[in-house]
Amino acid sequence: MTDPRLTPLAAGLPATVPFTGPETLERAAGRPFAARLGANESVFGPSPRAVEAMRAAAAEVWMYADPEAQELRAALAAHHGCGAEHIRLGEGIDGLLGLLVRLTVGPGDAVVTSEGAYPTFAFHVAGFGGMLHKVPYRGDYEDPGALLDKAREVGAKLIYLANPDNPMGTCHPPEVIERMVNGIPEGALLVLDEAYVDFAPAAPRIDPADPRVIRMRTFSKAYGLAGLRVGWALGPADLIASFDRVRNHFGMGRIAQAGALAALGDQDWLAQVRGKVAQAQDRIAGIAAGNGLAALPSAANFTAVDCGQDGAFAARVLSGLAARGVFVRMPGPAPLSRCIRISAGTEADLARLAEALPGALQDARG
Amino acid sequence: MTDPRLTPLAAGLPATVPFTGPETLERAAGRPFAARLGANESVFGPSPRAVEAMRAAAAEVWMYADPEAQELRAALAAHHGCGAEHIRLGEGIDGLLGLLVRLTVGPGDAVVTSEGAYPTFAFHVAGFGGMLHKVPYRGDYEDPGALLDKAREVGAKLIYLANPDNPMGTCHPPEVIERMVNGIPEGALLVLDEAYVDFAPAAPRIDPADPRVIRMRTFSKAYGLAGLRVGWALGPADLIASFDRVRNHFGMGRIAQAGALAALGDQDWLAQVRGKVAQAQDRIAGIAAGNGLAALPSAANFTAVDCGQDGAFAARVLSGLAARGVFVRMPGPAPLSRCIRISAGTEADLARLAEALPGALQDARG
């Protein structure tokens, strides 16, 4: 039953959630997964310096953290070569997307995304009454031209693009994104989700002051801090400042800020992680090939593996893997849903995948 | 300049923030405070078991936390003697208040609070376009009768009451709150902020399933985990479930859940903290009396000290304390603003207060 005191907007929202957590699946199955390869976490962990910083901060956690996060914002600003006025922190990109949609999208406002792109963005757009317009992927890539055309057609406030893409792992080269920025219609904002950009060969050159773009970054992926909940938005100062009108000012904790700061300072660790991810992706591609499947090229820390049939088949493969203790996810709509999405794992994780996949495929075919 | 893409609601919001953090004041002053007594943090810290749990969780922080926080919610449910369906977690009470206002308050909807009550609640109501109606305190207590009368008059969706009260520290006995619940008009919801209830002699008996009330609790105060950002809402299952429609599902991190769980399990520590807070409050009252000022009775972990003149005078006392390295805060509007609000400190903190207060008063008078 819906509480009668909800607003009409809230009362009309579905009770579904964007993602079911692996812990919920484990509770349903009655046992933990042996390989956790579904959430694109970094199994290689955070920098030991970040772990040390978090442990030290635990003793000071009786204090609220600096609501302006001045130290971390200054370090991020130096990292990007811009001023701290271009940066705001949030509880992961998920939290920042929610704030951005709240700031810019009112009931009925048009927003453009791709069919099969990040469900949590769609969750927030629905949550504020926005009207989501979707364009198809083109050859497993999000389609900048189609996104811009649709944005012009519907008068979109926001255009969402993840590059590298999740769930497919494909990545447009910098010049494609830079050209897209030049085509953004008046009144629209490109929300460029760069959660996985640390794994990409190159990032587009975009001036943080460019009023047409806001970029979303995170410590959850390459920095190995998914469970810490720290993301940052990078964009024009006016828009960035407006987050202060609505954000939970004391929402970013003390251990979170300390861990993120230390992680940012250890770029050597990041380079090591990138190397391990590349190795893991080679291994995933090899496992796929050994089972007659094709791995898509990926610029992220996961690999989409084409199971060669339709979404129902891929879903059976996914279930078969889960039954064998291997947690992966898959894209929702066709034609993306012919794939399963496998996060870069440790050697042990991928040995379990290699062991589980033949049986999962056999069950799916039988 | 305001970004032209903001919604009319967002564009109309002020750029002010509910609270300036002590770190911002320290940066402005060019030096840290010697005594941090303004944010009602627990200087006595969290349970050592919580510190240990947070340190252990740091190694696993590459994983997202369980978005349903099943283990922590189950422990809280056991603590309250109810089912976990009555509980949702959030990034502090601040975060939960934002979600609750979003769920229930649309543009123009009436909300009732007290003049001088928690500014962050007002921030959220403004942020969703609600119309805030205020009633005065009555003898330094929030006034349940006046709140109910006003709620009836304006057709309020929400009625906010903090008990114990912040910023005054006064506390209604359980039967007054229980009587208030019985007077809540149809269609209204009492938001009972019990951030400080762990310091109160007794809590009202309210069935978590009671559709008229939602209670807000936190690990930030007595549990000493302000910098961890974990609060919980306790209320009727339908309303509680509706948080899932809008919340940041993966917003509560792994270290946060682990620390809170361990803290909840150490009720002995809580009892010790309560004892230390009571001692500190006696000391604050003694310091006040030694300077010819009266400390108000408090059921929280802070004490409002009546400076005996108007708000401008109290503000000068506050400035004088800050200049002497002692951070305190004060209520905004008269007549509450005759007071300064001093958090329970360590003996060293309060020695600094004792040293600073005479000079601060002398400056304020001169």
Side-chain angles (χ1 to χ4, degrees):
Chain A
M1 215 187 82
T2 296
D3 189 288
R5 289 160 299 201
L6 298 195
T7 65
L9 174 57
L13 294 174
T16 54
V17 303
F19 287 108
T20 303
E23 292 80 8
T24 305
L25 302 173
E26 288 174 334
R27 285 191 290 269
R31 58 181 181 143
F33 287 116
R36 186 173 161 118
L37 300 175
N40 302 341
E41 299 154 331
S42 183
V43 298
F44 310 110
S47 159
R49 283 155 59 180
V51 173
E52 204 36 63
M54 291 184 280
R55 287 183 171 152
E60 298 186 336
V61 79
W62 60 270
M63 288 183 274
Y64 290 103
D66 176 9
E68 300 182 26
Q70 206 244 15
E71 201 177 354
L72 178 54
R73 280 172 57 231
L76 286 166
H79 181 73
H80 289 295
C82 67
E85 72 275 15
H86 294 290
I87 293 168
R88 282 298 180 280
L89 299 173
E91 295 88 355
I93 291 177
D94 285 0
L96 289 162
L97 288 174
L99 292 174
L100 178 67
V101 172
R102 176 174 167 194
L103 284 168
T104 57
V105 177
D109 282 349
V111 175
V112 171
T113 186
S114 303
E115 176 73 30
Y118 194 46
T120 305
F121 178 70
F123 170 79
H124 290 309
V125 172
F128 290 101
M131 185 72 70
L132 200 63
H133 300 268
K134 297 178 180 178
V135 302
Y137 278 59
R138 184 186 174 100
D140 297 324
Y141 281 74
E142 292 197 64
D143 185 343
L147 287 163
L148 291 179
D149 287 346
K150 180 61 78 176
R152 261 179 238 108
E153 178 195 327
V154 299
K157 301 288 295 285
L158 302 179
I159 307 167
Y160 176 87
L161 174 81
N163 196 61
D165 176 62
N166 177 19
M168 301 309 279
T170 49
C171 186
H172 291 292
E175 58 273 20
V176 169
I177 303 300
E178 291 158 13
R179 202 158 54 228
M180 182 184 184
V181 170
N182 288 323
I184 295 168
E186 183 77 28
L189 176 71
L190 174 63
V191 185
L192 184 57
D193 184 337
E194 297 189 321
Y196 298 97
V197 76
D198 301 302
F199 303 107
R205 279 168 308 176
I206 298 170
D207 185 342
D210 192 318
R212 300 166 297 183
V213 188
I214 188 167
R215 277 176 284 175
M216 299 290 179
R217 299 286 189 105
T218 184
F219 286 97
S220 297
K221 303 301 175 184
Y223 289 99
L225 294 169
L228 203 61
R229 314 314 301 128
V230 189
W232 70 101
L234 176 67
D238 289 345
L239 178 65
I240 286 292
S242 67
F243 279 74
D244 288 350
R245 301 178 183 208
V246 297
R247 73 187 177 92
N248 181 4
H249 284 268
F250 288 83
M252 178 67 54
R254 206 160 184 99
I255 299 175
Q257 293 188 28
L261 183 66
L264 185 68
D266 194 353
Q267 293 291 320
D268 288 348
W269 180 261
L270 214 66
Q272 287 179 47
V273 168
R274 271 192 291 261
K276 289 177 186 172
V277 165
Q279 280 188 321
Q281 291 185 318
D282 286 347
R283 176 90 171 102
I284 292 170
I287 295 168
N291 286 274
L293 309 180
L296 274 62
S298 171
N301 71 338
F302 58 84
T303 301
V305 170
D306 186 339
C307 292
Q309 300 192 32
D310 63 5
F313 180 77
R316 290 200 300 276
V317 177
L318 182 145
S319 296
L321 288 174
R324 290 165 174 83
V326 177
F327 167 54
V328 303
R329 290 200 198 271
M330 61 177 288
L336 314 184
S337 60
R338 72 191 192 282
C339 297
I340 55 173
R341 194 195 67 180
I342 305 171
S343 305
T346 61
E347 285 181 31
D349 291 331
L350 298 181
R352 288 191 190 98
L353 173 69
E355 199 184 314
L357 187 56
L361 282 167
Q362 195 170 25
D363 288 357
R365 286 179 183 130
Chain B
M1 216 187 81
T2 295
D3 189 288
R5 289 161 300 202
L6 297 196
T7 65
L9 174 59
L13 293 175
T16 55
V17 303
F19 287 108
T20 303
E23 292 79 8
T24 305
L25 303 173
E26 288 175 333
R27 285 191 290 269
R31 57 181 182 143
F33 288 116
R36 184 172 162 120
L37 301 175
N40 303 340
E41 298 154 332
S42 184
V43 299
F44 310 111
S47 157
R49 283 156 57 179
V51 174
E52 203 37 60
M54 291 183 281
R55 288 183 171 152
E60 297 184 336
V61 79
W62 60 270
M63 288 182 275
Y64 291 102
D66 177 7
E68 300 182 27
Q70 206 243 16
E71 201 176 356
L72 178 54
R73 281 172 57 230
L76 286 166
H79 181 73
H80 289 294
C82 67
E85 71 275 17
H86 294 289
I87 293 168
R88 282 298 180 280
L89 300 172
E91 296 88 353
I93 290 177
D94 285 0
L96 289 162
L97 288 174
L99 292 175
L100 178 67
V101 171
R102 178 176 167 191
L103 284 168
T104 57
V105 177
D109 281 350
V111 174
V112 171
T113 185
S114 302
E115 176 72 31
Y118 194 48
T120 305
F121 179 69
F123 169 79
H124 289 309
V125 172
F128 289 101
M131 185 72 70
L132 200 63
H133 299 268
K134 298 177 180 179
V135 302
Y137 278 59
R138 184 187 174 100
D140 298 325
Y141 281 73
E142 291 197 64
D143 186 341
L147 287 164
L148 291 180
D149 288 347
K150 180 60 78 175
R152 263 180 237 107
E153 178 194 327
V154 300
K157 300 289 295 284
L158 301 179
I159 307 167
Y160 176 86
L161 175 82
N163 197 61
D165 176 62
N166 177 19
M168 301 310 279
T170 49
C171 186
H172 290 291
E175 58 273 20
V176 170
I177 303 300
E178 291 159 11
R179 203 157 52 230
M180 182 183 183
V181 170
N182 288 324
I184 295 168
E186 181 76 27
L189 176 72
L190 175 63
V191 185
L192 185 57
D193 184 338
E194 297 189 321
Y196 298 98
V197 75
D198 300 302
F199 303 107
R205 278 168 307 176
I206 298 169
D207 184 343
D210 192 318
R212 299 167 297 182
V213 188
I214 187 166
R215 277 175 284 174
M216 298 290 178
R217 299 287 188 103
T218 185
F219 286 96
S220 297
K221 304 302 175 187
Y223 290 98
L225 293 170
L228 202 61
R229 314 314 300 125
V230 190
W232 70 101
L234 177 67
D238 288 346
L239 178 64
I240 287 292
S242 67
F243 279 74
D244 287 350
R245 300 178 184 208
V246 297
R247 72 187 179 93
N248 181 4
H249 284 266
F250 287 83
M252 179 66 55
R254 205 160 184 100
I255 299 175
Q257 293 187 29
L261 183 66
L264 184 69
D266 193 353
Q267 293 290 321
D268 288 348
W269 180 261
L270 215 66
Q272 288 180 46
V273 168
R274 271 191 292 262
K276 289 176 184 173
V277 165
Q279 280 188 319
Q281 290 184 318
D282 286 348
R283 177 89 173 102
I284 293 170
I287 294 167
N291 287 274
L293 308 181
L296 274 64
S298 171
N301 71 338
F302 58 84
T303 301
V305 171
D306 187 339
C307 292
Q309 300 191 33
D310 63 4
F313 179 77
R316 290 200 299 277
V317 176
L318 180 145
S319 296
L321 288 173
R324 290 166 176 81
V326 177
F327 168 54
V328 303
R329 290 200 197 270
M330 61 178 287
L336 313 184
S337 60
R338 72 191 192 282
C339 297
I340 55 173
R341 193 195 68 180
I342 305 172
S343 306
T346 63
E347 285 179 29
D349 291 331
L350 298 181
R352 289 191 188 99
L353 173 69
E355 199 184 315
L357 187 56
L361 282 167
Q362 194 168 24
D363 289 356
R365 284 177 184 133

